[in-house]
């Protein structure tokens, strides 16, 4: 059973890395609308849920819906990528919302299972939010 979970997590991470690379490439090419659409598509693909739902509900509810720390941290990475795109557009209110949600989700992921990656991600999001 542990092997199946590890395979699933490995596939999810590969898919996330690929999606984040495509999002970053579109963002660097000033194709923010395309990049934002990739964020939405990635949410559906990874979580089977609309991105809008995941950013609208409170962090505790979203963490419960996603279930595993790995899925929660994957969403944190998507939120951070979207925050980068919104920052390019000058939407600092959107950036603040996404990073605040990412920070709250990171805390829920850590409560479920403390990992060095989660700790580092939590600190990075917290630092970024403080800089706003």
């Amino acid at each position: 059973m542990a092997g199946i979970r590890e395979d699933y997590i490995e596939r999810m991470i590969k898919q996330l890395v690929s999606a984040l690379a495509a999002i970053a490439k579109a963002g660097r090419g000033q194709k923010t609308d395309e990049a934002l659409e990739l964020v939405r598509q990635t949410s559906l693909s990874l979580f089977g849920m609309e991105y809008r739902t995941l950013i609208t509900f409170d962090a505790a509810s979203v963490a419960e819906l996603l279930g595993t720390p790995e899925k929660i941290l994957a969403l944190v990475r998507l939120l951070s990528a979207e925050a980068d795109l919104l920052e390019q557009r000058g939407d600092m209110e959107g950036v603040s919302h996404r990073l605040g949600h990412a920070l709250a989700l990171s805390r829920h992921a850590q409560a479920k299972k403390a990992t060095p990656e989660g700790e580092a991600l939590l600190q990075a999001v917290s630092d970024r939010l403080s800089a706003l």
Side-chain angles (χ1 to χ4, degrees):
M1 190 72 149
I4 294 171
R5 177 176 158 74
E6 289 171 8
D7 287 346
Y8 168 78
I9 291 169
E10 186 176 323
R11 282 193 312 276
M12 183 183 73
I13 290 169
K14 285 180 182 177
Q15 186 178 2
L16 178 64
V17 168
S18 177
L20 290 173
I23 291 165
K25 182 179 179 182
R28 283 190 305 274
Q30 300 301 313
K31 298 177 183 176
T32 53
D33 288 338
E34 180 182 317
L36 290 169
E37 181 56 32
L38 285 170
V39 168
R40 291 189 249 333
Q41 290 172 6
T42 301
S43 174
L44 274 173
S45 176
L46 285 179
F47 314 119
M49 291 183 233
E50 290 287 336
Y51 187 68
R52 178 53 89 213
T53 300
L54 296 172
I55 62 171
T56 304
F57 288 173
D58 66 283
S61 297
V62 172
E64 192 63 35
L65 279 171
L66 295 177
T68 67
E70 295 84 7
K71 283 185 176 181
I72 296 167
L73 292 175
L75 178 57
V76 168
R77 295 217 186 270
L78 270 182
L79 285 161
S80 183
E82 185 188 23
D84 291 341
L85 298 168
L86 295 174
E87 189 170 14
Q88 283 181 357
R89 285 187 163 178
D91 180 0
M92 298 315 287
E93 184 177 327
V95 171
S96 180
H97 174 268
R98 296 314 185 268
L99 292 178
H101 199 51
L103 182 61
L105 284 167
S106 294
R107 290 185 176 136
H108 284 283
Q110 286 308 100
K112 289 181 176 281
K113 173 181 146 189
T115 62
E117 177 198 32
E119 291 287 343
L121 189 55
L122 179 64
Q123 188 59 52
V125 170
S126 181
D127 292 346
R128 191 165 169 205
L129 225 119
S130 296
L132 290 181

